Amino acid sequence: QVQVVESGGGSVQAGGSLRLSCTVSGYRLLSSYCMGWFRQAPGKEREGVAIIDLDDGSTNYADSAKGRFTLSKDDARTTLYLEMSSLKPEDTALYYCAAELALRVRRPVRAGVVAAFTYRGQGTQVTVSS
């Protein structure tokens, strides 16, 4: 069973930065998965933020994240990071890391599908104050 665990959330002032981390375990071959982040703010729909195809490294970001959020990964530790900069109050949300078997994900990968991924963590809170 694939397990996903996020960490790294917190409270920052607008314009600040945060790095979220996601570790995954229980997989057979990590490169056969797509991973990403989605978020949900109170009273709002889930929003896919970023996605990466772990086989070919292709990425995609939501328009709201482009130029401010960056995905990276540490292969040795099977950890996925979401570097967030120039944070805005509207980025305040519970952020989830998620994973899905790559064969179930349409190509080219799009961030919007991450919210529907099968495997997800418990979420980590990000709060941005003005």
Side-chain angles (χ1 to χ4, degrees):
Q1 179 73 12
V2 174
Q3 294 184 321
V4 178
V5 179
E6 312 96 336
S7 62
S11 297
V12 295
Q13 296 279 342
S17 300
L18 278 174
R19 186 176 77 164
L20 306 183
S21 301
C22 173
T23 57
V24 60
S25 60
Y27 56 88
R28 276 193 169 187
L29 181 64
L30 194 56
S31 60
S32 63
Y33 287 86
C34 289
M35 291 186 67
W37 294 85
F38 70 94
R39 65 188 182 185
Q40 187 164 26
K44 293 190 176 181
E45 297 287 324
R46 292 174 180 174
E47 177 190 18
V49 173
I51 185 173
I52 182 168
D53 182 336
L54 294 178
D55 183 27
D56 63 15
S58 59
T59 59
N60 181 258
Y61 297 88
D63 288 342
S64 60
K66 286 178 182 175
R68 301 187 302 125
F69 294 5
T70 304
L71 285 169
S72 62
K73 59 187 179 72
D74 179 341
D75 292 329
R77 299 182 179 182
T78 63
T79 301
L80 181 69
Y81 302 101
L82 182 67
E83 304 272 2
M84 304 186 295
S85 62
S86 302
L87 284 163
K88 306 173 182 179
E90 51 263 44
D91 292 318
T92 296
L94 194 57
Y95 283 70
Y96 297 86
C97 182
E100 184 60 86
L101 283 169
L103 59 86
R104 295 176 180 170
V105 181
R106 183 175 294 183
R107 299 301 191 277
V109 293
R110 290 289 180 260
V113 303
V114 177
F117 279 7
T118 302
Y119 308 104
R120 62 186 64 172
Q122 295 299 308
T124 185
Q125 179 67 37
V126 171
T127 302
V128 185
S129 57
S130 57

